[in-house]
Amino acid sequence: MSLKALDYESLNENVKNCQYAVRGELYLRASELQKEGKKIIFTNVGNPHALGQKPLTFPRQVVALCQAPFLLDDPNIGMIFPADAIARAKHYLSLTSGGLGAYSDSRGIPGVRKEVAEFIERRDGYPSDPELIFLTDGASKGVMQILNCVIRGQKDGILVPVPQYPLYSATISLLGGTLVPYYLEESENWGLDVNNLRQSVAQARSQGITVRAMVIINPGNPTGQCLSESNLREILRFCCDERLVLLGDEVYQQNIYQDERPFISSKKVLMDMGAPFSKEVQLISFHTVSKGYWGECGQRGGYFEMTNIPPRTVEEIYKVASIALSPNVSAQIFMGLMVSPPKPGDISYDQFIRESKGILESLRRRARMMTDGFNSCKNVVCNFTEGAMYSFPQIKLPSKAIQAAKQAGKVPDVFYCLKLLEATGISTVPGSGFGQKEGVFHLRTTILPAEEEMPEIMDSFKKFNDEFMSQYGDNFVYSRM
C-alpha cells in the first residue's frame, strides 16, 4: 500500500532528525507523573512566571488597556489605572492601524522599532536604525528567520557553542544545514578559546563544509557565563578574518549576578573596535521580553537588529518575515515597554524599580544558593552562574551507574535525570541534550524556583544524589574542578 504524505515513514527526514531536549523525554515523563498526582518542579525550561515570578505591574496595566480600549472611555478609569499607564496605552494605540486586533507591518510597528533603536543607542552609545530592526514572535522566531536565509544546504555549516541551547541544533537540522561545534572550556568557567574556533572551522572545511555563521550566547545558556570584552573582540576579529556573520544571542542581558563581568553587547564592542571591523563584520543581535526581570515568555516578544547587512539582503529578510504577515502586536507593545520603561518622576517609576530590583536581587541570591548546593553534593561540581537563568553542574557518574544506564537503554545522564525526577519531582534536562564532551555528564536546571523553596529543593537533590552515588558508587569521591 502506498504511503500518504503525513504517514511517519514519508515525513521530511529533517523533521524526524530534529531534536529538542528541553521538552524531550524528561519533560514528557514529568508531565505523565504530574497527571498521576505527583508534585513536579519544572526546572527544565526558563519559564519564570510558571515558577511563581510575578508579572511587572506597569506593562500589564498598559497592555490591558490596549487590549480593552473601551476602558479608556470610562470616566472612572483614573481611579483604577495610573495616569502614566493610561497615557502609554493611548500612545501605543495611536501607533497601530486598528488596535491589537489588526496586522502590523511585517517588521513590526514603526514607532516601536524607533523605541528599540533609541534603547540600543542609550545602551551602546552608537546610532541604531529602526529600518534595520525587525520585531519578532520571541527571539527564537528571529533566529529561525535568519538561519533560514543563511543555510542553503547540508554543506553550509553554523558554528555553535557546545554546550548549546537546542534551538540552534534543532533549527539547523530542520533547515538541512550542518552544526559545527566549538567547545567551551568548563575548567575555565566555560570560557571560549579562539584556537578552538580555528580548529573547528579547519575540520569542517576538510569535510567540504562551508562555515557561514557563528553563534554566541551571552550570557550563556545553559552554562551561565558572561563573555568578557576581550573575548568578544577576539570573536569579532575571528568573524572578520573568516567572513562569518555573527549571531549574537543576547536575550539574558538583564540577568547578571556578579559585578566583575557586566554584560556588554557585541555591537558596542564592534563599534568600539573601529574600522575595518566596524564596517566589515556582519552582525545580527537578538533580544526578547521572555527573560530578565520581565519573564514574559508567553507573550512571545522579541527583536533582532542588523549591522553591516546589505540593503538587498534586508529586502529578502523582509520577504521571509512577510510570509507570517505580522508579529504578535501585543508582544510588540511589551517590547516597547521593555525598552522604554517608566522614567524618574513618572507615577509608576518607584513601583517599577522596586519590582524589577526585587526580582534581580532574588535571582542573584538563588544563583548562589543553587551553585553552593550542587557543590556540597558528592561527585557534583558546578561553576557559578554569572548570568542567564541556569545552573549546569557536572555529574561525575560512577562506572556502575554508566553500566546500569546502558542496560536500561539510556544515555547515562538521561538515566540519572530520570531517577532524580522519579525520586524528587525535580524535572531537569540532561546535559546530552545540549552537547558535551565525550564521557562527561551534566544536567541543566533553572535557578527560577521560588527563593523560599530553594533550600528544600537543594536538600532534596542532595539526598537523592548522595544515595544514588552510594548505590552505584565505587567509593571514590571526585574533587572540585
Side-chain angles (χ1 to χ4, degrees), residues 268-325:
K268 175 171 172 51
V269 176
L270 178 60
M271 294 298 109
D272 283 350
M273 290 171 71
F277 306 102
S278 60
K279 302 292 185 184
E280 292 291 331
V281 176
Q282 295 182 339
L283 169 67
I284 313 280
S285 304
F286 302 89
H287 200 8
T288 185
V289 301
S290 298
K291 309 302 177 185
Y293 45 80
W294 287 69
E296 294 281 5
C297 298
Q299 308 294 349
R300 308 312 302 134
Y303 76 74
F304 61 83
E305 182 196 28
M306 296 173 280
T307 303
N308 295 327
I309 306 301
R312 289 185 65 187
T313 301
V314 174
E315 291 173 7
E316 295 300 313
I317 293 170
Y318 179 57
K319 182 172 68 179
V320 171
S322 298
I323 294 170
L325 284 175

Side-chain angles (χ1 to χ4, degrees), residues 370-381:
M370 187 163 272
T371 305
D372 290 347
F374 282 133
N375 285 321
S376 73
C377 295
K378 185 177 181 181
N379 295 353
V380 180
V381 294

Side-chain angles (χ1 to χ4, degrees), residues 39 68 120 126 132-134 139 158 205 213 233-234 253 262 282 292 339 341 389 392 400 462:
K39 181 186 176 184
I120 294 170
Y126 293 97
L132 297 175
I133 292 167
F134 282 38
I158 310 294
R205 286 176 178 160
R233 280 198 299 269
E234 287 182 307
Q253 60 189 265
Q282 295 182 339
V339 298
M389 295 179 170
F392 198 63
K400 290 180 184 176
K462 181 176 175 62

Side-chain angles (χ1 to χ4, degrees), residues 155-341:
K155 289 296 185 181
D156 281 347
I158 310 294
L159 275 167
V160 176
V162 175
Q164 55 98 32
Y165 176 47
L167 162 68
Y168 294 97
S169 54
T171 304
I172 292 165
S173 176
L174 195 61
L175 296 173
T178 298
L179 187 148
V180 179
Y182 66 91
Y183 287 89
L184 304 176
E185 290 299 328
E186 186 169 12
S187 61
E188 301 297 326
N189 203 29
W190 298 112
L192 185 157
D193 185 347
V194 174
N195 291 325
N196 183 278
L197 284 177
R198 293 192 181 97
Q199 290 169 6
S200 295
V201 170
Q203 184 173 357
R205 286 176 178 160
S206 72
Q207 297 167 356
I209 294 166
T210 301
V211 181
R212 304 256 294 159
M214 175 180 175
V215 173
I216 57 170
I217 307 173
N218 181 38
N221 175 11
T223 47
Q225 88 286 5
C226 295
L227 291 175
S228 67
E229 184 175 353
S230 61
N231 220 176
L232 285 167
R233 280 198 299 269
E234 287 182 307
I235 292 164
L236 289 160
R237 284 194 192 97
F238 175 79
C239 288
C240 188
D241 292 343
E242 301 294 340
R243 305 186 72 77
L244 305 179
V245 59
L246 181 64
L247 308 184
D249 181 335
E250 299 176 338
V251 302
Y252 296 101
Q253 60 189 265
Q254 293 174 335
N255 296 95
I256 305 297
Y257 311 127
Q258 38 72 44
D259 301 318
E260 293 75 32
R261 244 196 299 225
F263 170 77
I264 181 168
S265 75
S266 302
K267 183 181 178 185
K268 175 171 172 51
V269 176
L270 178 60
M271 294 298 109
D272 283 350
M273 290 171 71
F277 306 102
S278 60
K279 302 292 185 184
E280 292 291 331
V281 176
Q282 295 182 339
L283 169 67
I284 313 280
S285 304
F286 302 89
H287 200 8
T288 185
V289 301
S290 298
K291 309 302 177 185
Y293 45 80
W294 287 69
E296 294 281 5
C297 298
Q299 308 294 349
R300 308 312 302 134
Y303 76 74
F304 61 83
E305 182 196 28
M306 296 173 280
T307 303
N308 295 327
I309 306 301
R312 289 185 65 187
T313 301
V314 174
E315 291 173 7
E316 295 300 313
I317 293 170
Y318 179 57
K319 182 172 68 179
V320 171
S322 298
I323 294 170
L325 284 175
S326 165
N328 179 340
V329 177
S330 59
Q332 295 182 53
I333 293 171
F334 269 102
M335 179 55 73
L337 290 161
M338 187 185 84
V339 298
S340 183

